[in-house]
Amino acid sequence: MAGAERRAVTVSARHARVGVIDIGSNSIRLVVYDAPVRAFIPIYNEKAMCGLGKGLARRGRLPPEGMALALDTVRRFVELARAMSVGRLDVIATAAVREALDGSDFVKAVERRCGVRVEVLSGMEEGRLSALGVMSDLPKADGVIGDLGGGSLELVSVENGRIGEQATLPLGPLRLLDETGGDLRQAETIIDHELTGVPWLAGRAKGRRFYAVGGAWRSLARVHMAQTDYPLHVIDRYEVKRSKMENIVTLVARMGRRSLERLPGVPRRRLDTLPMAAFVMERILRVGGPKRVVFSAHGLREGMVFSRLSADAQREDPLLAACAAAAQRFGRFAEIGGELGVWTAPLFPKESAEDERLRRAACWLGDIGWIDHPDYRAQQALERVLRLSVLAADHPGRAFLGLVAFYRYGGQAADEVADIARGLVAEGAEKRARVLGLALRLGYAITGGAPGILGDMTLGLDGDRLNLVVAPSREALVSDDVNRRFQAVAAALDRKTQIVPRGERKAAGF
């Protein structure tokens, strides 16, 4: 942990906010996270386009106007972090600063003016931290991670969540534009030459996944979403077949600025660099031959926060941690989430390990819509879950969790947003979501959200019946509303209902 301690400006209490200022080749960004725990939630995110890498390939020095803007930006970000009571602030710099002849002078100016320590990351350390960021969201990532910045490209092979070979290449779009003036033939020569120095790329990527990290590549995901009318505009875990992605990057790489301006999904600040970023991806996909491209919203900054966590915290399931954190933030009765996970298990005796994980996660989100007006809770809960910024679930998983919340609040079949979610889940998942949502509705009716009750009122399948086994001390909790909701769960399972006093378990077939 020596490196981690060296990077830190200050260290305070375990639950203090943490922040990262990332001085990149194209942009500088401040991200503040709620606390250094497994589900670290970004509560503030600001970016400034300073262009420190512009002209670096030709001049070898940072542009004076970019340095001036960067100094002002870092000073602002440091002041903001202090005002937000950030307990630990890391200030890091990547390709442009580490390669510029005057990079060390710029670092000294930042440290003197802002009163912080700046760590200039090596390409290998940058790649390692980016990979950790992806794996903080995807613990079992398998394939190749590519993090494209303005000045460099980091490639990291991962296998079942373990980091393997690494390479850092001078293939950032700003650098390539400087070297080629935007000529794709020249760029192709440079890119392919650099990729030949990564002999493991094809072997590690072929038939597996390529995890795309970086703002320019996330813009390509937005373009693909717009072109295909994809209904869920969440970049994290957006997954595309390689052949489909090749079509998009080939198109974008050869478009002029005016054409790009008319293309839905392209941010104006990316108009100059996006074609070259698309061309880099095009060459990687052809050389590496991955089966699918997965876009990740997690990278270097998240990897730095993740690297600070204890080994025990790093091993926690990111989905369950995120949903438990959401329960604490948005719900009233967070304690009951874990109990509901145990209580609903008998309804799904043949579920897979992944289905169990999603069910337990959904149970943590069972109270997420309480604050909304009753007439809108079902749809609001669905939309909130679909669009949570920190969830650690793929899009079918998000849709399943959203549908559970929808049915938990009495959502009806005819709903436009629910139809979108239904279109994203696998066959059979919608029925499981409805059963689970109705079961959560029953669980909250029984307990009022109070912990410690569900263990005395257990569910069980018995042939064509769904049984609710009630301890004598809890009989008063069985109301007409509980009966109605119990019957709704049974109907979703195509079973009859039976309420059984606990002393009659054996006779009831348990």
Side-chain angles (χ1 to χ4, degrees):
M1 294 296 292
E5 294 302 324
R6 179 166 49 87
R7 283 193 290 263
V9 176
T10 57
V11 182
S12 64
R14 178 176 181 270
H15 293 291
R17 292 171 174 172
V18 296
V20 180
I21 296 176
D22 178 3
I23 304 172
S25 300
N26 199 23
S27 65
I28 299 179
R29 188 185 293 266
L30 164 68
V31 184
V32 176
Y33 300 92
D34 197 22
V37 293
R38 185 62 179 87
F40 41 90
I41 299 170
I43 60 173
Y44 188 79
N45 190 326
E46 183 179 339
K47 177 173 65 175
M49 306 297 284
C50 298
L52 282 175
K54 285 184 179 179
L56 180 61
R58 289 180 283 105
R59 296 190 302 266
R61 294 181 175 275
L62 301 173
E65 66 279 6
M67 282 196 291
L69 179 57
L71 281 168
D72 288 342
T73 298
V74 175
R75 184 178 182 184
R76 167 181 162 75
F77 286 171
V78 170
E79 289 303 311
L80 282 176
R82 288 171 175 157
M84 292 179 191
S85 300
V86 169
R88 181 178 211 135
L89 178 66
D90 288 297
V91 185
I92 56 175
T94 54
V97 175
R98 72 171 170 256
E99 295 174 9
L101 295 174
D102 54 354
S104 60
D105 294 334
F106 172 75
V107 168
K108 291 175 183 176
V110 171
E111 293 181 337
R112 182 174 60 252
R113 183 172 178 183
C114 304
V116 295
R117 180 178 298 171
V118 179
E119 179 168 9
V120 181
L121 299 178
S122 69
M124 299 299 280
E125 179 69 356
E126 185 179 350
R128 186 187 74 85
L129 289 171
S130 293
L132 283 179
V134 172
M135 291 189 297
S136 72
D137 182 62
L138 279 156
K140 296 182 180 179
D142 192 68
V144 174
I145 295 168
D147 185 354
L148 184 71
S152 66
L153 167 68
E154 278 65 49
L155 295 173
V156 183
S157 72
V158 288
E159 184 174 2
N160 294 319
R162 294 189 299 274
I163 294 176
E165 298 96 334
Q166 294 181 236
T168 182
L169 308 175
L171 297 179
L174 278 179
R175 180 194 295 268
L176 287 170
L177 285 170
D178 283 345
E179 292 182 350
T180 68
D183 185 287
L184 293 187
R185 288 188 178 182
Q186 291 185 46
E188 182 176 343
T189 301
I190 294 170
I191 295 168
D192 289 355
H193 171 73
E194 293 293 340
L195 292 180
T196 59
V198 190
W200 50 264
L201 175 59
R204 295 301 185 187
K206 190 172 181 60
R208 297 157 84 184
R209 282 170 167 76
F210 179 71
Y211 301 91
V213 180
W217 280 350
R218 286 193 290 270
S219 295
L220 291 175
R222 293 187 181 93
V223 171
H224 189 272
M225 287 177 171
Q227 292 294 303
T228 58
D229 292 322
Y230 189 73
L232 181 59
H233 289 191
V234 174
I235 299 299
D236 194 40
R237 302 278 198 100
Y238 182 57
E239 193 164 331
V240 185
K241 289 182 180 179
R242 184 193 76 219
S243 59
K244 303 293 185 183
M245 202 64 221
E246 281 179 334
N247 293 338
I248 289 293
V249 296
T250 299
L251 172 69
V252 172
R254 290 155 180 83
M255 294 182 78
R257 184 182 178 92
R258 288 188 177 181
S259 297
L260 282 174
E261 288 175 343
R262 295 193 296 268
L263 192 65
V266 178
R268 293 192 62 82
R269 63 181 181 272
R270 298 287 180 187
L271 289 172
D272 293 332
T273 58
L274 191 60
M276 194 59 74
F279 193 61
V280 173
M281 180 177 283
E282 178 187 313
R283 304 310 301 167
I284 289 174
L285 296 183
R286 292 189 180 180
V287 173
K291 183 179 180 180
R292 302 180 75 84
V293 178
V294 180
F295 292 89
S296 176
H298 296 72
L300 173 62
R301 294 173 293 275
E302 290 74 21
M304 180 154 287
V305 177
F306 184 75
S307 71
R308 302 277 188 264
L309 302 179
S310 68
D312 287 343
Q314 289 181 355
R315 284 191 291 268
E316 291 179 25
D317 186 305
L319 173 62
L320 298 179
C323 291
Q328 292 284 350
R329 182 175 289 266
F330 301 117
R332 299 163 296 175
F333 310 115
E335 300 88 351
I336 200 175
E339 293 183 16
L340 285 164
V342 175
W343 189 70
T344 56
L347 300 177
F348 306 92
K350 297 181 180 180
E351 66 185 353
S352 67
E354 181 59 20
D355 287 342
E356 177 192 8
R357 179 172 174 260
L358 285 169
R359 178 180 55 78
R360 292 170 59 201
C363 289
W364 282 109
L365 300 176
D367 195 41
I368 199 168
W370 73 272
I371 200 168
D372 297 310
H373 189 282
D375 291 348
Y376 299 98
R377 279 179 187 159
Q379 188 177 70
Q380 291 289 91
L382 167 59
E383 293 189 347
R384 184 171 294 124
V385 173
L386 279 176
R387 295 166 175 82
L388 279 173
S389 62
V390 177
L391 193 54
D394 60 16
H395 287 198
R398 278 181 177 267
F400 174 82
L401 295 172
L403 286 170
V404 173
F406 177 73
Y407 288 118
R408 178 266 182 268
Y409 286 105
Q412 301 302 308
D415 184 274
E416 183 177 345
V417 180
D419 286 341
I420 290 173
R422 292 185 187 105
L424 294 172
V425 298
E427 184 178 356
E430 195 271 340
K431 180 178 179 179
R432 290 198 308 275
R434 182 158 53 91
V435 171
L436 180 55
L438 292 172
L440 295 181
R441 192 167 174 80
L442 169 63
Y444 277 95
I446 290 171
T447 65
I453 294 175
L454 291 175
D456 294 330
M457 301 184 70
T458 56
L459 292 170
L461 298 175
D462 180 19
D464 65 348
R465 293 185 180 277
L466 174 64
N467 291 332
L468 179 62
V469 182
V470 182
S473 61
R474 301 295 191 185
E475 289 178 355
L477 296 178
V478 181
S479 64
D480 288 342
D481 187 46
V482 167
N483 260 309
R484 283 194 299 272
R485 296 191 182 189
F486 180 41
Q487 289 167 9
V489 177
L493 288 165
D494 300 318
R495 280 174 166 81
K496 300 174 184 177
T497 61
Q498 182 168 274
I499 296 179
V500 185
R502 177 157 288 180
E504 299 180 19
R505 263 188 178 186
K506 190 172 182 180
F510 280 80

